[in-house]
Each structure stands twice: as C-alpha cells, then as structure tokens.
Amino acid sequence: MLEAKLDLKLLEMCSKCGACYSICPSCVNIPGYDPRAVIKSILDGEHEKWINHHSIWECLECHYCLEMCYQHYGFESAMTAMRNIATRKGAHPPQVKRGWDMFVKTSRLGEPALPARKKLGLPEPKASGAEEFRKLYALLNEKRAQHKAE
Amino acid sequence: MKEFAVFWGCTIQTRFPFIEKSTRMVLESFKLPYRDIDGFTCCPEKSLVNNVDHGAFVVTAARNVALVDELGYDLVSPCTGCVSNLATVRGELNANPREKAEVNGLLKEIGREFTGTASLKHLVPFFHDTVGVHTIKQKIKRDFKGMRIALHYGCHMIRPSHALRADDPLNPVKFDNLIRGLGAESLQFMTKLMCCGQGLDRIDEHDKALDFARVKLKELKAMKADALVLCCPSCFLQFDNNQFLMEKEGERFGIPVIYFTELLGLALGFSAEELGMSNHRIDCASFLTKWEELSAKPAVAKGIEEGLTGPNALG
Ligand code: SF4
Ligand code: SF4
C-alpha cells in the first residue's frame, strides 16, 4: 500500500531517447554521473550493481528531466526507484539515515531555534503535529501488514 | 483576499529564524491576512522521506494539506521545497482517486480529511499574482535603480510544473518581474536556472556541493553582480554558508546572498539590522554601501524640466 513504483514501459522508451542528458545539472557537473547507464542495467536485469553506488544519490531531484520529457517521465523516476531499493537494503548514506530517524521520531528535521527566536522578537512556535503524525504513520504500517497477510 | 496559513518549514525555523522575521515584517507591511496554525509537521522533505518510504511522504504531506483544507485557508510558504512537496502529493492524490481514498481512510482515523482544495503557493509567485507588482511599487519607499541583481529561482519554486502551476518551468518570469518592479536590473546569465546543488550536502558529498556553488558564484563574480537574490532556505544555505566555507579556504567571490523578503524589506524602509541581515555568513555591506551611494546621487534628470521651461536669455 502506497509503495514506490516504476513504470517499465516508459523506462523502455526512455532507454531509446536520452534527450534530457544534456540539460541534467548532475550529468553536466558530476563526472561519471549518467542515469542512462542505470536505466540500461535495470532493463538488463542487473540493477543490483547500482545499489551501493553513490551515483543514484546524486540526482538532485531538480525535475529538469521531467519537464523536458516528451512522456513526462524523467530520468529521476529510475533514480528514485533505485534509491528506494537501496534504502530497503540499508545502503542509504549515513546522513539520510540520521535524517530519517529524526523525522520518524519528531515529525520534523529540526526544532525551532528558541533563543534566536527570542532575540529576534519572534512569537512562540505553534504546536507541532508530532503525536498525530506518529499515530498516522503507525496506522499506515498496520494497514500494510494487513494487506500483506491477506 | 483569502486568509492563508504560513508554512514555515523545518529549515527556516531551525537554522534561519531571521528569514521568518523578515517574512513577517513584509507580510505585516502589506497588511496581508496571514495566520499561524497548530499542527504542521515537516512537509516532508522529498529527497529524504520519499527515498526511504513513499507512503510516509504521501500521508505526511496529505495531513499537512488537510489542516489548511479544514480551516478553509490557503497556504503560502517562503520555502520552495515545502510548497513543491505538498503540491506534488496533492497532484498525485487528485490524479489517483483510489490512492486518495486510501489516504483518506487513514486520515479519518485521526479525524482529518484531505480534500486538496487549498491553494498552495510559494511566497514569490504569491507576491507576483496576489499582491501584484503595481501594489508593491506604490508601497515601497526606495527602489533599487542602478543595482545589478542575479536571481536564483530555485528549482522547486517552479518545478514540477504540473503540480505547482506557478510559472513557466523552463523559462520563468515572475521573480524577474518582481525584481524589475523594485527597480533593479535582473541579470541574464548562463547558470541562472542551474540547480544550486545543496542536495549533495545531504548525501555526504560536500566537495561536490561546493563544486556546484562554485560554478554559479564564479560567473556572478565575473559579471560583477551586486548580489544573488533567492527565496529558498536550502539555496540560501548553499550560497551563503558554502560560499563562506570556500572563502575561509582562500577562494574569494564576495557575492552577498539576499533573501527576497530582505530585499523587499529594505525597499519598504526597514534597516538591514532590523531585518536580521547581520546573521548572514557573507557580509552584505558591499551591496548596502553601493545602494547608499546611489541614493546620494542627484535624482534622474534633475533640473531638466526647469532648464527647458524656465527663464531664458532670449528675452
Ligand atoms: S532530476 Fe535528477 S536526473 Fe533529472 S535532471 Fe535533475 S539531477 Fe538530472
Ligand atoms: S527521461 Fe524522458 S526526455 Fe529524458 S531520456 Fe528519458 S524519455 Fe527522454
């Protein structure tokens, strides 16, 4: 339920195109970064060789490829799917691990800087939705477990 | 104008409370009906949460949107990422009735409902579309005539366009219109729409993040831009903080990085100090000094009118 997906038909088309390569900021500025190679591996049934590779994390999710794409697909679809697979195997970068832990625990990526707020004369921050969020996330995981069992 | 909740987001409230300050100051100045509401969480940050668990990404954003839906408010944020993430999920749910029903099934158990009716806007398109360049022009005390400004839109102010509908995703104009409305020149340059690259810092690739910052800063230095103006805390971190780190290592760019709300605040007559600009890592003094000097010059075409119409030697 609510899992990430990858449309293989569109990916197949994408592997024959490559048009957005030249406007992708990571392709232009990071030597060796090339989603086309990742896409080829996926179609060849060899996606596993990218699971521990830093390239899949170097997609900046700038959505340039998505906007350029004649099928509104984008390199990023494949890169996001690969990141999801890598994460499920525990191969995500340490900072992503720390960020995720903080997010599930507190529902935020940091707490309001109270002393600085006071100095600037800012009002008290509003109540966070942390408790409700934790409930919601637990519900999602319960439902997923039910789906699996059925 | 419809009341709207401000979605501050984690980065501004955690790292840059002075951005919240200048945002509140400009919202107050225009007497805009903004509200602070209880219950928001992280938007959530797509590159982090969506890469780990797509479902968590969807339900968290849907819940945040539900909070404003219920109150009948719109939502405005000074963070590009927050709006983009919330709008992405809203777009996904509105396009997939089955998924929307699933999400609402979960939300119902915590007493909420996602309808997706609230308008979700970033502050820049909001000022452009809802406040309007004309109103801004009337309200400001001093413009930026003579100042050369380089704009950085920030990818998520305009993309993904199917979800945001904020501006042209490949050739945006609204931020430019606002800057020109403030009297400044909006420079056109090669790397104008290039992604800031801050995402690389979030995956432990600091050197590559610096490479990205360097590309743009080099071009701005060569063009002698007076400032880089943007409206995204992540881009701000990239160009202010990372520029500072590079300067510490001896690479000098000297490009002040100014938040849109600060620029607008200055034009409205607030001082840099009041706006919290002393909290930047890169000193804004060069920008402010040039601006001061320009205002000390005589007004445009001073004396021409009198010269053409006044007493003359022809008798
Ligand atoms: S979203 Fe990723 S793959 Fe697509 S253009 Fe941006 S960096 Fe490149
Ligand atoms: S993402 Fe779209 S534009 Fe880019 S290579 Fe694939 S099909 Fe072509």
Side-chain angles (χ1 to χ4, degrees):
Chain A
M1 186 190 184
L2 295 174
E3 314 289 2
K5 295 183 211 55
L6 184 64
D7 188 322
L8 294 174
K9 248 212 226 111
L10 298 182
L11 194 73
E12 175 94 47
M13 302 282 283
C14 179
S15 72
K16 297 184 183 116
C17 170
C20 61
Y21 179 81
S22 59
I23 51 98
C24 162
S26 291
C27 297
V28 174
N29 292 291
I30 303 177
Y33 175 87
D34 189 351
R36 295 174 304 185
V38 179
I39 288 164
K40 185 169 182 308
S41 298
I42 295 175
L43 292 171
D44 289 348
E46 294 176 343
H47 77 271
E48 300 221 337
K49 66 181 187 204
W50 292 98
I51 286 175
N52 288 303
H53 202 285
H54 53 84
S55 261
I56 59 173
W57 296 94
E58 289 165 356
C59 161
L60 298 160
E61 302 186 51
C62 69
H63 311 312
Y64 240 124
C65 51
L66 180 75
E67 301 286 355
M68 283 286 287
C69 182
Y70 73 97
Q71 46 178 5
H72 202 68
Y73 188 61
F75 279 164
E76 59 166 308
S77 308
M79 303 308 266
T80 304
M82 281 309 302
R83 288 193 293 267
N84 266 281
I85 295 171
T87 306
R88 294 166 77 101
K89 299 217 185 294
H92 42 323
Q95 223 176 311
V96 175
K97 285 184 188 149
R98 282 197 300 276
W100 170 258
D101 288 346
M102 174 161 233
F103 170 70
V104 279
K105 219 165 95 199
T106 66
S107 86
R108 297 182 54 108
L109 297 180
E111 293 305 320
L114 296 178
R117 293 184 72 81
K118 214 166 173 188
K119 228 171 101 195
L120 288 160
L122 287 169
E124 285 280 310
K126 286 284 171 179
S128 106
E131 207 172 306
E132 213 178 278
F133 158 80
R134 278 192 289 264
K135 242 190 189 155
L136 182 64
Y137 191 48
L139 279 167
L140 171 66
N141 285 329
E142 256 170 53
K143 280 265 152 64
R144 279 169 164 168
Q146 273 174 24
H147 271 251
K148 248 191 213 141
E150 276 164 18
Chain B
M1 190 183 295
K2 203 165 156 190
E3 288 168 79
F4 60 91
V6 181
F7 195 97
W8 298 106
C10 303
T11 314
I12 288 179
Q13 290 209 314
T14 306
R15 301 200 59 161
F16 307 121
F18 55 92
I19 293 176
E20 180 174 335
K21 172 88 176 178
S22 61
T23 305
R24 284 182 189 274
M25 286 164 78
V26 300
L27 292 175
E28 294 280 349
S29 293
F30 286 91
K31 299 197 173 53
L32 297 168
Y34 77 97
R35 308 284 175 256
D36 285 286
I37 71 168
D38 283 327
F40 282 143
T41 61
C42 175
C43 51
E45 221 276 304
K46 184 163 184 266
S47 67
L48 174 73
V49 175
N50 191 48
N51 286 331
V52 179
D53 184 345
H54 180 64
F57 176 63
V58 171
V59 297
T60 308
R63 186 188 154 279
N64 282 324
V65 174
L67 297 180
V68 278
D69 279 347
E70 281 163 22
L71 291 165
Y73 292 168
D74 283 339
L75 180 148
V76 173
S77 177
C79 172
T80 64
C82 291
V83 182
S84 177
N85 295 332
L86 295 170
T88 296
V89 169
R90 182 185 57 182
E92 181 172 328
L93 295 183
N94 283 343
N96 298 290
R98 226 191 82 181
E99 195 179 321
K100 184 170 167 180
E102 279 178 348
V103 168
N104 268 331
L106 295 169
L107 285 173
K108 197 170 171 209
E109 297 195 38
I110 55 162
R112 307 246 170 238
E113 188 192 359
F114 167 93
T115 56
T117 41
S119 129
L120 313 171
K121 264 198 166 161
H122 180 265
L123 195 74
V124 165
F126 170 79
F127 262 96
H128 184 276
D129 301 344
T130 312
V131 179
V133 178
H134 187 67
T135 308
I136 297 172
K137 271 185 163 169
Q138 284 178 327
K139 182 104 195 143
I140 58 173
K141 298 212 167 76
R142 218 176 112 196
D143 67 16
F144 291 100
K145 209 155 277 151
M147 299 302 283
R148 293 161 50 78
I149 286 178
L151 274 187
H152 175 78
Y153 273 79
C155 300
H156 298 137
M157 186 192 294
I158 48 179
R159 292 187 292 269
S161 61
H162 69 275
L164 285 166
R165 304 195 179 289
D167 205 334
D168 187 312
L170 301 173
N171 185 26
V173 295
K174 290 183 182 173
F175 209 170
D176 287 86
N177 290 346
L178 289 172
I179 294 303
R180 293 192 190 111
L182 292 176
E185 177 186 359
S186 176
L187 298 170
Q188 301 305 314
F189 53 106
M190 289 288 289
T191 60
K192 185 173 172 193
L193 291 180
M194 178 181 162
C195 175
C196 72
Q198 169 59 210
L200 295 160
D201 251 337
R202 293 196 289 266
I203 54 156
D204 306 280
E205 294 201 5
H206 183 57
D207 287 346
K208 286 183 188 147
L210 295 187
D211 287 344
F212 265 71
R214 190 177 288 117
V215 171
K216 195 180 289 250
L217 291 169
K218 262 189 175 162
E219 189 181 9
L220 298 185
K221 187 181 175 186
M223 293 179 76
K224 298 198 171 59
D226 292 320
L228 177 62
V229 171
L230 42 72
C231 198
C232 169
S234 188
C235 305
F236 182 82
L237 185 65
Q238 170 73 336
F239 292 113
D240 189 60
N241 197 51
N242 276 349
Q243 181 181 176
F244 173 75
L245 295 178
M246 287 190 282
E247 296 215 332
K248 257 188 19 194
E249 299 294 318
E251 244 179 304
R252 212 185 126 62
F253 302 100
I255 306 288
V257 183
I258 300 180
Y259 220 73
F260 169 62
T261 49
E262 296 170 339
L263 191 77
L264 187 52
L266 289 171
L268 289 165
F270 297 114
S271 70
E273 194 53 45
E274 286 173 288
L275 290 160
M277 290 170 71
S278 53
N279 292 293
H280 293 205
R281 310 289 300 263
I282 297 292
D283 197 351
C284 296
S286 62
F287 178 87
L288 297 167
T289 315
K290 178 171 171 188
W291 193 39
E292 278 309 318
E293 283 169 10
L294 282 176
S295 73
K297 280 191 188 153
V300 179
K302 181 171 177 270
I304 287 288
E305 180 88 13
E306 296 80 41
L308 287 167
T309 55
N312 59 50
L314 301 173

